[in-house]
Amino acid sequence: MQLTVRYFAGARAAAGRAEENAPAGRSLDELLDELTERHGDRLAVVLKAASFLVDGLACHDRQAPLPAGATVDVLPPFAGG
C-alpha cells in the first residue's frame, strides 16, 4: 500500500524530484522522518517550514495514519506580495 508525495517549488529542488511514492499507514510526522532520511538535511530544512495537504486538504493531525492511495503535497513557504 502506497501513497504519493508531491513536492513543489523549493521542496522539489531540495528533494531532487517532483514526486515519489512512500508506504501508507504511517503518520505525517513518520513520513517526514523517512523523507529526511532519504534526502538529507537540505530537505529537512524545507520540511520544517512547509505546509502539507493530504488529498487537497490541510493536514491538521500529524499523528493520524495516512491512507493508501493518498496524495501528500509538500508546500514550502512562497515569497510574494
Side-chain angles (χ1 to χ4, degrees):
M1 296 191 298
Q2 298 275 314
L3 56 83
T4 301
V5 180
R6 297 190 306 182
Y7 299 103
F8 294 87
R12 179 181 296 185
R17 64 191 68 216
E19 74 177 48
E20 66 184 307
N21 293 321
R26 292 176 295 157
S27 71
L28 179 62
D29 283 340
E30 292 169 327
L31 173 63
L32 300 181
D33 288 343
E34 178 186 324
L35 297 175
T36 296
E37 285 182 30
R38 281 188 198 179
H39 302 292
D41 292 337
R42 186 171 173 211
L43 182 60
V45 170
V46 174
L47 294 176
K48 287 179 184 177
S51 298
F52 304 93
L53 302 179
V54 178
D55 289 335
L57 300 172
C59 182
H60 297 290
D61 183 357
R62 294 172 63 120
Q63 298 303 312
L66 297 167
T71 298
V72 177
D73 293 329
V74 180
L75 306 170
F78 293 93

Short mmCIF file of all heavy atoms in Angstrom, two decimals, residues 13-81:
data_model
loop_
_atom_site.label_atom_id
_atom_site.label_comp_id
_atom_site.label_asym_id
_atom_site.label_seq_id
_atom_site.Cartn_x
_atom_site.Cartn_y
_atom_site.Cartn_z
N ALA A 13 13.20 21.23 -5.39
CA ALA A 13 14.65 21.39 -5.56
C ALA A 13 15.42 20.62 -4.49
O ALA A 13 16.42 19.98 -4.77
CB ALA A 13 15.02 22.87 -5.54
N ALA A 14 14.95 20.69 -3.25
CA ALA A 14 15.65 20.03 -2.14
C ALA A 14 15.57 18.50 -2.24
O ALA A 14 16.52 17.80 -1.90
CB ALA A 14 15.08 20.50 -0.81
N ALA A 15 14.43 17.98 -2.72
CA ALA A 15 14.27 16.53 -2.85
C ALA A 15 14.90 16.01 -4.13
O ALA A 15 15.19 14.81 -4.25
CB ALA A 15 12.79 16.16 -2.82
N GLY A 16 15.08 16.90 -5.11
CA GLY A 16 15.66 16.48 -6.38
C GLY A 16 14.69 15.72 -7.27
O GLY A 16 15.09 15.01 -8.17
N ARG A 17 13.40 15.91 -7.02
CA ARG A 17 12.37 15.23 -7.81
C ARG A 17 11.04 15.92 -7.58
O ARG A 17 10.86 16.63 -6.60
CB ARG A 17 12.27 13.76 -7.46
CG ARG A 17 11.83 13.53 -6.02
CD ARG A 17 11.97 12.09 -5.55
NE ARG A 17 13.39 11.82 -5.48
CZ ARG A 17 13.93 10.64 -5.79
NH1 ARG A 17 13.19 9.65 -6.16
NH2 ARG A 17 15.22 10.46 -5.72
N ALA A 18 10.10 15.69 -8.48
CA ALA A 18 8.77 16.30 -8.37
C ALA A 18 7.83 15.46 -7.51
O ALA A 18 6.94 15.99 -6.85
CB ALA A 18 8.16 16.50 -9.74
N GLU A 19 8.01 14.14 -7.54
CA GLU A 19 7.17 13.27 -6.71
C GLU A 19 7.83 11.93 -6.51
O GLU A 19 8.78 11.57 -7.21
CB GLU A 19 5.77 13.11 -7.30
CG GLU A 19 5.64 12.25 -8.51
CD GLU A 19 4.18 12.11 -8.95
OE1 GLU A 19 3.46 13.13 -9.05
OE2 GLU A 19 3.78 10.96 -9.21
N GLU A 20 7.32 11.22 -5.52
CA GLU A 20 7.79 9.87 -5.24
C GLU A 20 6.71 9.13 -4.45
O GLU A 20 5.77 9.74 -3.95
CB GLU A 20 9.11 9.89 -4.47
CG GLU A 20 9.04 10.47 -3.07
CD GLU A 20 10.41 10.53 -2.42
OE1 GLU A 20 11.09 9.50 -2.39
OE2 GLU A 20 10.78 11.62 -1.96
N ASN A 21 6.88 7.83 -4.33
CA ASN A 21 5.96 7.01 -3.56
C ASN A 21 6.57 6.66 -2.22
O ASN A 21 7.79 6.61 -2.07
CB ASN A 21 5.62 5.72 -4.32
CG ASN A 21 4.82 5.99 -5.57
OD1 ASN A 21 3.95 6.86 -5.59
ND2 ASN A 21 5.13 5.27 -6.63
N ALA A 22 5.68 6.44 -1.25
CA ALA A 22 6.11 6.03 0.09
C ALA A 22 5.04 5.10 0.65
O ALA A 22 3.88 5.14 0.20
CB ALA A 22 6.28 7.26 0.99
N PRO A 23 5.38 4.27 1.62
CA PRO A 23 4.38 3.38 2.21
C PRO A 23 3.29 4.18 2.94
O PRO A 23 3.57 5.18 3.59
CB PRO A 23 5.19 2.55 3.20
CG PRO A 23 6.60 2.65 2.75
CD PRO A 23 6.72 4.01 2.13
N ALA A 24 2.06 3.72 2.82
CA ALA A 24 0.93 4.32 3.52
C ALA A 24 0.84 3.72 4.93
O ALA A 24 1.58 2.81 5.29
CB ALA A 24 -0.36 4.07 2.75
N GLY A 25 -0.08 4.28 5.73
CA GLY A 25 -0.36 3.72 7.05
C GLY A 25 0.40 4.37 8.18
O GLY A 25 0.11 4.11 9.34
N ARG A 26 1.37 5.19 7.86
CA ARG A 26 2.12 5.90 8.89
C ARG A 26 1.60 7.32 9.00
O ARG A 26 0.91 7.80 8.12
CB ARG A 26 3.61 5.88 8.56
CG ARG A 26 4.16 4.47 8.68
CD ARG A 26 5.58 4.39 8.27
NE ARG A 26 5.63 4.71 6.86
CZ ARG A 26 6.68 5.16 6.24
NH1 ARG A 26 7.80 5.33 6.89
NH2 ARG A 26 6.66 5.42 4.96
N SER A 27 1.98 7.98 10.07
CA SER A 27 1.56 9.37 10.26
C SER A 27 2.40 10.31 9.39
O SER A 27 3.46 9.92 8.87
CB SER A 27 1.73 9.77 11.73
OG SER A 27 3.11 9.87 12.06
N LEU A 28 1.94 11.55 9.27
CA LEU A 28 2.70 12.55 8.52
C LEU A 28 4.06 12.75 9.15
O LEU A 28 5.07 12.82 8.45
CB LEU A 28 1.93 13.87 8.45
CG LEU A 28 2.63 14.99 7.70
CD1 LEU A 28 2.87 14.63 6.23
CD2 LEU A 28 1.83 16.28 7.81
N ASP A 29 4.13 12.83 10.48
CA ASP A 29 5.43 13.01 11.14
C ASP A 29 6.38 11.86 10.83
O ASP A 29 7.57 12.07 10.58
CB ASP A 29 5.26 13.17 12.65
CG ASP A 29 4.76 14.55 13.04
OD1 ASP A 29 4.90 15.50 12.24
OD2 ASP A 29 4.24 14.69 14.17
N GLU A 30 5.86 10.63 10.81
CA GLU A 30 6.71 9.47 10.47
C GLU A 30 7.16 9.54 9.01
O GLU A 30 8.31 9.22 8.69
CB GLU A 30 5.95 8.17 10.75
CG GLU A 30 5.73 7.93 12.23
CD GLU A 30 4.76 6.81 12.51
OE1 GLU A 30 3.81 6.60 11.73
OE2 GLU A 30 4.94 6.13 13.54
N LEU A 31 6.25 9.96 8.14
CA LEU A 31 6.61 10.11 6.72
C LEU A 31 7.72 11.15 6.56
O LEU A 31 8.68 10.93 5.83
CB LEU A 31 5.39 10.51 5.90
CG LEU A 31 5.66 10.86 4.43
CD1 LEU A 31 6.19 9.65 3.67
CD2 LEU A 31 4.40 11.42 3.79
N LEU A 32 7.60 12.26 7.26
CA LEU A 32 8.61 13.32 7.15
C LEU A 32 9.97 12.84 7.64
O LEU A 32 11.00 13.19 7.06
CB LEU A 32 8.16 14.56 7.90
CG LEU A 32 6.85 15.19 7.40
CD1 LEU A 32 6.53 16.44 8.20
CD2 LEU A 32 6.88 15.47 5.92
N ASP A 33 9.98 12.02 8.69
CA ASP A 33 11.25 11.43 9.16
C ASP A 33 11.87 10.58 8.07
O ASP A 33 13.08 10.65 7.82
CB ASP A 33 11.03 10.60 10.42
CG ASP A 33 10.73 11.43 11.65
OD1 ASP A 33 11.01 12.66 11.65
OD2 ASP A 33 10.23 10.85 12.64
N GLU A 34 11.05 9.77 7.40
CA GLU A 34 11.57 8.92 6.32
C GLU A 34 12.10 9.75 5.16
O GLU A 34 13.18 9.47 4.61
CB GLU A 34 10.49 7.98 5.80
CG GLU A 34 10.99 7.13 4.65
CD GLU A 34 9.92 6.28 4.01
OE1 GLU A 34 9.03 5.79 4.72
OE2 GLU A 34 9.98 6.12 2.77
N LEU A 35 11.37 10.80 4.78
CA LEU A 35 11.81 11.64 3.68
C LEU A 35 13.12 12.35 4.01
O LEU A 35 13.98 12.51 3.15
CB LEU A 35 10.73 12.65 3.31
CG LEU A 35 9.42 12.04 2.79
CD1 LEU A 35 8.38 13.14 2.57
CD2 LEU A 35 9.64 11.22 1.54
N THR A 36 13.28 12.75 5.26
CA THR A 36 14.53 13.38 5.70
C THR A 36 15.68 12.38 5.59
O THR A 36 16.77 12.73 5.14
CB THR A 36 14.39 13.90 7.14
OG1 THR A 36 13.39 14.94 7.15
CG2 THR A 36 15.70 14.45 7.66
N GLU A 37 15.44 11.13 5.99
CA GLU A 37 16.48 10.10 5.87
C GLU A 37 16.86 9.87 4.41
O GLU A 37 18.03 9.69 4.09
CB GLU A 37 16.01 8.79 6.50
CG GLU A 37 16.02 8.81 8.00
CD GLU A 37 15.60 7.48 8.59
OE1 GLU A 37 15.84 6.42 7.94
OE2 GLU A 37 15.04 7.49 9.69
N ARG A 38 15.87 9.87 3.52
CA ARG A 38 16.13 9.62 2.10
C ARG A 38 16.91 10.76 1.45
O ARG A 38 17.77 10.52 0.61
CB ARG A 38 14.81 9.50 1.33
CG ARG A 38 14.11 8.21 1.44
CD ARG A 38 12.94 8.21 0.46
NE ARG A 38 11.99 7.17 0.81
CZ ARG A 38 10.87 6.96 0.13
NH1 ARG A 38 10.56 7.74 -0.89
NH2 ARG A 38 10.06 6.00 0.49
N HIS A 39 16.55 12.01 1.78
CA HIS A 39 17.04 13.15 1.01
C HIS A 39 17.96 14.10 1.77
O HIS A 39 18.53 15.00 1.17
CB HIS A 39 15.86 13.93 0.43
CG HIS A 39 14.98 13.10 -0.44
ND1 HIS A 39 15.40 12.61 -1.66
CD2 HIS A 39 13.72 12.65 -0.27
CE1 HIS A 39 14.42 11.89 -2.21
NE2 HIS A 39 13.40 11.90 -1.38
N GLY A 40 18.09 13.94 3.07
CA GLY A 40 19.08 14.70 3.81
C GLY A 40 18.62 16.02 4.39
O GLY A 40 17.45 16.39 4.37
N ASP A 41 19.62 16.75 4.89
CA ASP A 41 19.38 17.97 5.65
C ASP A 41 18.74 19.09 4.83
O ASP A 41 17.97 19.88 5.37
CB ASP A 41 20.69 18.49 6.26
CG ASP A 41 21.22 17.56 7.34
OD1 ASP A 41 20.41 16.80 7.91
OD2 ASP A 41 22.42 17.62 7.62
N ARG A 42 19.07 19.17 3.57
CA ARG A 42 18.51 20.25 2.74
C ARG A 42 16.99 20.14 2.71
O ARG A 42 16.28 21.14 2.88
CB ARG A 42 19.10 20.18 1.34
CG ARG A 42 18.69 21.33 0.47
CD ARG A 42 19.47 21.32 -0.83
NE ARG A 42 18.95 22.35 -1.71
CZ ARG A 42 18.95 22.27 -3.01
NH1 ARG A 42 19.49 21.22 -3.61
NH2 ARG A 42 18.46 23.24 -3.74
N LEU A 43 16.46 18.94 2.52
CA LEU A 43 15.01 18.77 2.53
C LEU A 43 14.47 18.93 3.95
O LEU A 43 13.39 19.49 4.13
CB LEU A 43 14.61 17.40 1.96
CG LEU A 43 13.09 17.16 1.90
CD1 LEU A 43 12.40 18.20 1.02
CD2 LEU A 43 12.79 15.76 1.41
N ALA A 44 15.19 18.49 4.95
CA ALA A 44 14.73 18.63 6.34
C ALA A 44 14.43 20.08 6.69
O ALA A 44 13.42 20.38 7.34
CB ALA A 44 15.76 18.05 7.30
N VAL A 45 15.27 20.99 6.23
CA VAL A 45 15.06 22.42 6.49
C VAL A 45 13.75 22.89 5.85
O VAL A 45 12.96 23.61 6.45
CB VAL A 45 16.26 23.25 5.99
CG1 VAL A 45 15.96 24.73 6.01
CG2 VAL A 45 17.50 22.93 6.81
N VAL A 46 13.51 22.46 4.62
CA VAL A 46 12.29 22.84 3.91
C VAL A 46 11.07 22.24 4.61
O VAL A 46 10.04 22.91 4.79
CB VAL A 46 12.35 22.40 2.43
CG1 VAL A 46 11.03 22.66 1.73
CG2 VAL A 46 13.49 23.10 1.72
N LEU A 47 11.15 20.99 5.03
CA LEU A 47 10.01 20.32 5.66
C LEU A 47 9.60 21.01 6.96
O LEU A 47 8.41 21.04 7.30
CB LEU A 47 10.33 18.84 5.91
CG LEU A 47 10.51 17.98 4.66
CD1 LEU A 47 10.92 16.56 5.06
CD2 LEU A 47 9.26 17.98 3.80
N LYS A 48 10.55 21.55 7.68
CA LYS A 48 10.24 22.23 8.95
C LYS A 48 9.37 23.46 8.73
O LYS A 48 8.58 23.82 9.59
CB LYS A 48 11.52 22.61 9.69
CG LYS A 48 12.21 21.42 10.30
CD LYS A 48 13.47 21.82 11.01
CE LYS A 48 14.17 20.56 11.51
NZ LYS A 48 15.43 20.84 12.15
N ALA A 49 9.50 24.11 7.58
CA ALA A 49 8.75 25.33 7.31
C ALA A 49 7.53 25.09 6.41
O ALA A 49 6.72 25.99 6.23
CB ALA A 49 9.68 26.35 6.64
N ALA A 50 7.40 23.90 5.87
CA ALA A 50 6.38 23.61 4.86
C ALA A 50 4.99 23.41 5.47
O ALA A 50 4.84 23.10 6.66
CB ALA A 50 6.78 22.38 4.06
N SER A 51 3.99 23.54 4.60
CA SER A 51 2.62 23.14 4.89
C SER A 51 2.35 21.87 4.10
O SER A 51 3.00 21.61 3.09
CB SER A 51 1.64 24.23 4.45
OG SER A 51 1.87 25.41 5.14
N PHE A 52 1.36 21.11 4.55
CA PHE A 52 1.09 19.82 3.93
C PHE A 52 -0.40 19.67 3.65
O PHE A 52 -1.23 19.97 4.51
CB PHE A 52 1.57 18.68 4.83
CG PHE A 52 3.01 18.81 5.18
CD1 PHE A 52 3.39 19.45 6.35
CD2 PHE A 52 3.99 18.34 4.33
CE1 PHE A 52 4.73 19.61 6.67
CE2 PHE A 52 5.34 18.50 4.63
CZ PHE A 52 5.70 19.13 5.81
N LEU A 53 -0.70 19.21 2.45
CA LEU A 53 -2.07 18.86 2.08
C LEU A 53 -2.14 17.36 1.90
O LEU A 53 -1.23 16.75 1.32
CB LEU A 53 -2.47 19.53 0.77
CG LEU A 53 -2.40 21.05 0.69
CD1 LEU A 53 -2.82 21.52 -0.70
CD2 LEU A 53 -3.26 21.69 1.76
N VAL A 54 -3.21 16.76 2.40
CA VAL A 54 -3.47 15.33 2.17
C VAL A 54 -4.76 15.26 1.37
O VAL A 54 -5.82 15.68 1.84
CB VAL A 54 -3.59 14.56 3.50
CG1 VAL A 54 -3.92 13.10 3.23
CG2 VAL A 54 -2.31 14.68 4.31
N ASP A 55 -4.64 14.79 0.15
CA ASP A 55 -5.76 14.76 -0.79
C ASP A 55 -6.44 16.12 -0.90
O ASP A 55 -7.67 16.23 -0.91
CB ASP A 55 -6.76 13.67 -0.39
CG ASP A 55 -6.21 12.27 -0.63
OD1 ASP A 55 -5.32 12.12 -1.50
OD2 ASP A 55 -6.66 11.33 0.03
N GLY A 56 -5.63 17.17 -0.96
CA GLY A 56 -6.12 18.51 -1.19
C GLY A 56 -6.60 19.26 0.03
O GLY A 56 -7.01 20.42 -0.06
N LEU A 57 -6.55 18.64 1.21
CA LEU A 57 -7.00 19.28 2.45
C LEU A 57 -5.83 19.48 3.39
O LEU A 57 -4.96 18.60 3.52
CB LEU A 57 -8.06 18.43 3.14
CG LEU A 57 -9.33 18.16 2.32
CD1 LEU A 57 -10.22 17.15 3.05
CD2 LEU A 57 -10.07 19.45 2.05
N ALA A 58 -5.82 20.62 4.09
CA ALA A 58 -4.75 20.89 5.05
C ALA A 58 -4.71 19.79 6.10
O ALA A 58 -5.75 19.36 6.61
CB ALA A 58 -4.97 22.25 5.71
N CYS A 59 -3.52 19.33 6.41
CA CYS A 59 -3.33 18.27 7.40
C CYS A 59 -3.18 18.91 8.77
O CYS A 59 -2.20 19.61 9.03
CB CYS A 59 -2.10 17.44 7.05
SG CYS A 59 -1.85 16.09 8.21
N HIS A 60 -4.16 18.68 9.66
CA HIS A 60 -4.13 19.26 11.00
C HIS A 60 -3.70 18.24 12.05
O HIS A 60 -3.26 18.62 13.12
CB HIS A 60 -5.49 19.83 11.36
CG HIS A 60 -5.91 20.96 10.47
ND1 HIS A 60 -5.31 22.19 10.50
CD2 HIS A 60 -6.85 21.02 9.50
CE1 HIS A 60 -5.87 22.97 9.60
NE2 HIS A 60 -6.81 22.28 8.97
N ASP A 61 -3.86 16.95 11.76
CA ASP A 61 -3.48 15.89 12.70
C ASP A 61 -2.28 15.15 12.13
O ASP A 61 -2.42 14.24 11.33
CB ASP A 61 -4.64 14.94 12.94
CG ASP A 61 -4.32 13.87 13.98
OD1 ASP A 61 -3.17 13.84 14.49
OD2 ASP A 61 -5.23 13.07 14.29
N ARG A 62 -1.11 15.55 12.57
CA ARG A 62 0.13 14.98 12.03
C ARG A 62 0.42 13.58 12.56
O ARG A 62 1.37 12.94 12.15
CB ARG A 62 1.29 15.92 12.31
CG ARG A 62 1.15 17.24 11.55
CD ARG A 62 2.19 18.23 11.97
NE ARG A 62 3.52 17.78 11.68
CZ ARG A 62 4.37 18.40 10.89
NH1 ARG A 62 4.02 19.52 10.28
NH2 ARG A 62 5.58 17.93 10.69
N GLN A 63 -0.43 13.07 13.48
CA GLN A 63 -0.26 11.73 14.03
C GLN A 63 -1.23 10.71 13.43
O GLN A 63 -1.10 9.51 13.66
CB GLN A 63 -0.43 11.76 15.55
CG GLN A 63 0.60 12.63 16.26
CD GLN A 63 2.03 12.20 15.95
OE1 GLN A 63 2.36 11.03 16.02
NE2 GLN A 63 2.87 13.15 15.58
N ALA A 64 -2.21 11.18 12.64
CA ALA A 64 -3.20 10.27 12.03
C ALA A 64 -2.54 9.46 10.92
O ALA A 64 -1.71 9.98 10.17
CB ALA A 64 -4.36 11.08 11.47
N PRO A 65 -2.89 8.18 10.80
CA PRO A 65 -2.34 7.36 9.71
C PRO A 65 -2.75 7.91 8.34
O PRO A 65 -3.90 8.30 8.15
CB PRO A 65 -2.95 5.98 9.94
CG PRO A 65 -3.45 5.99 11.34
CD PRO A 65 -3.78 7.41 11.67
N LEU A 66 -1.82 7.93 7.42
CA LEU A 66 -2.09 8.37 6.05
C LEU A 66 -2.63 7.18 5.26
O LEU A 66 -2.01 6.11 5.24
CB LEU A 66 -0.82 8.91 5.41
CG LEU A 66 -0.24 10.16 6.09
CD1 LEU A 66 1.17 10.43 5.58
CD2 LEU A 66 -1.14 11.35 5.87
N PRO A 67 -3.77 7.34 4.60
CA PRO A 67 -4.39 6.21 3.91
C PRO A 67 -3.67 5.83 2.61
O PRO A 67 -3.06 6.67 1.96
CB PRO A 67 -5.81 6.71 3.62
CG PRO A 67 -5.69 8.19 3.56
CD PRO A 67 -4.58 8.56 4.53
N ALA A 68 -3.81 4.57 2.25
CA ALA A 68 -3.28 4.10 0.97
C ALA A 68 -3.94 4.86 -0.16
O ALA A 68 -5.14 5.17 -0.10
CB ALA A 68 -3.54 2.60 0.82
N GLY A 69 -3.17 5.21 -1.16
CA GLY A 69 -3.68 5.92 -2.31
C GLY A 69 -3.75 7.43 -2.14
O GLY A 69 -4.08 8.15 -3.08
N ALA A 70 -3.43 7.92 -0.94
CA ALA A 70 -3.48 9.36 -0.68
C ALA A 70 -2.36 10.08 -1.43
O ALA A 70 -1.35 9.48 -1.79
CB ALA A 70 -3.36 9.65 0.82
N THR A 71 -2.57 11.38 -1.64
CA THR A 71 -1.54 12.25 -2.19
C THR A 71 -1.20 13.29 -1.14
O THR A 71 -2.09 13.98 -0.63
CB THR A 71 -2.02 12.95 -3.47
OG1 THR A 71 -2.31 11.95 -4.45
CG2 THR A 71 -0.96 13.90 -4.02
N VAL A 72 0.08 13.37 -0.79
CA VAL A 72 0.57 14.36 0.18
C VAL A 72 1.35 15.41 -0.60
O VAL A 72 2.34 15.09 -1.26
CB VAL A 72 1.46 13.70 1.24
CG1 VAL A 72 2.03 14.75 2.20
CG2 VAL A 72 0.70 12.63 2.00
N ASP A 73 0.88 16.64 -0.54
CA ASP A 73 1.57 17.75 -1.20
C ASP A 73 2.43 18.49 -0.18
O ASP A 73 1.95 18.83 0.91
CB ASP A 73 0.56 18.74 -1.80
CG ASP A 73 -0.22 18.14 -2.95
OD1 ASP A 73 0.33 17.28 -3.65
OD2 ASP A 73 -1.38 18.54 -3.14
N VAL A 74 3.68 18.72 -0.52
CA VAL A 74 4.63 19.44 0.32
C VAL A 74 4.77 20.85 -0.25
O VAL A 74 5.28 21.03 -1.36
CB VAL A 74 6.00 18.73 0.37
CG1 VAL A 74 6.97 19.48 1.25
CG2 VAL A 74 5.84 17.28 0.81
N LEU A 75 4.28 21.84 0.51
CA LEU A 75 4.23 23.22 0.05
C LEU A 75 5.13 24.09 0.92
O LEU A 75 4.74 24.45 2.03
CB LEU A 75 2.79 23.74 0.11
CG LEU A 75 1.74 22.89 -0.62
CD1 LEU A 75 0.36 23.37 -0.27
CD2 LEU A 75 1.99 22.93 -2.10
N PRO A 76 6.29 24.44 0.44
CA PRO A 76 7.15 25.33 1.20
C PRO A 76 6.57 26.74 1.20
O PRO A 76 5.71 27.05 0.37
CB PRO A 76 8.49 25.30 0.46
CG PRO A 76 8.12 24.94 -0.93
CD PRO A 76 6.90 24.07 -0.84
N PRO A 77 7.01 27.60 2.12
CA PRO A 77 6.53 28.97 2.09
C PRO A 77 6.89 29.62 0.76
O PRO A 77 7.97 29.38 0.22
CB PRO A 77 7.29 29.66 3.23
CG PRO A 77 7.83 28.56 4.06
CD PRO A 77 7.96 27.35 3.19
N PHE A 78 5.97 30.40 0.23
CA PHE A 78 6.19 31.07 -1.04
C PHE A 78 6.43 32.54 -0.79
O PHE A 78 5.79 33.15 0.07
CB PHE A 78 4.97 30.90 -1.96
CG PHE A 78 4.76 29.49 -2.40
CD1 PHE A 78 3.91 28.66 -1.69
CD2 PHE A 78 5.42 28.98 -3.50
CE1 PHE A 78 3.72 27.34 -2.09
CE2 PHE A 78 5.22 27.67 -3.91
CZ PHE A 78 4.37 26.85 -3.20
N ALA A 79 7.36 33.13 -1.53
CA ALA A 79 7.60 34.57 -1.45
C ALA A 79 6.57 35.29 -2.31
O ALA A 79 6.00 34.71 -3.24
CB ALA A 79 9.01 34.89 -1.95
N GLY A 80 6.32 36.49 -2.00
CA GLY A 80 5.39 37.25 -2.82
C GLY A 80 4.66 38.29 -2.01
O GLY A 80 4.83 38.40 -0.81
N GLY A 81 3.82 38.98 -2.68
CA GLY A 81 3.22 40.09 -2.02
C GLY A 81 1.77 40.05 -1.89
O GLY A 81 1.12 40.73 -1.27
#
